[in-house]
Amino acid sequence: MIEILILYILTRYDCTIYKIKKLIEEKFFMYSMPSLGAVNPALKKLESLSCVEFESKMSDGGMLSKIYKITSFGHKYLQSAITSFEFKNKSNIINQVSILICISDILEDDDKKSLYKNCMNNLLILKADINNALQNPYNMYNEAQKDVIATNISLIDKMVEILK
């Protein structure tokens, strides 16, 4: 997901690695707070794939800075990564869907519909799994645990409504 966020930010701004990190934190703080240790290798990977390029510039403070920008291939790669996103970890689905909805503004209508369908299907599967867990007598959740888990069901229902 970090590569998707980096490319999304670079569709809006040309910026340094530090600025990329800060913009992700500002825009997606409730879903993702990457460290420079996560952003740097992701940028290197994107650079090796020719998705981003950089220009070295001297900053006002006399330091050499790399200003990153997305390439035309990077735009295509980003759109493909969003539309073909695979949800691999159930514990991250709600956050990942939230991010994908927030960045779907760069997609054409057909791609957006396909993404929303993918998100909705994964949310409904997660909801069914949560309901099964709540109904399983061997889980022995206490009332507070059940309430917290049920909160996710409400959130999923609201997200599914957004996606319709």
Side-chain angles (χ1 to χ4, degrees), residues 16 55-67:
T16 64
E55 182 180 335
S56 295
K57 287 188 176 182
M58 197 64 74
S59 71
D60 293 339
M63 303 239 348
L64 191 60
S65 296
K66 290 181 179 179
I67 308 297

Side-chain angles (χ1 to χ4, degrees), residues 95-122:
N95 277 352
Q96 291 171 335
V97 167
S98 299
I99 290 170
L100 291 168
I101 291 170
C102 289
I103 65 175
S104 67
D105 61 322
I106 66 164
L107 298 176
E108 299 294 327
D109 286 341
D110 287 342
D111 288 337
K112 194 181 288 188
K113 285 178 187 175
S114 176
L115 170 67
Y116 284 8
K117 183 178 179 183
N118 181 22
C119 290
M120 191 178 329
N121 289 341
N122 279 278

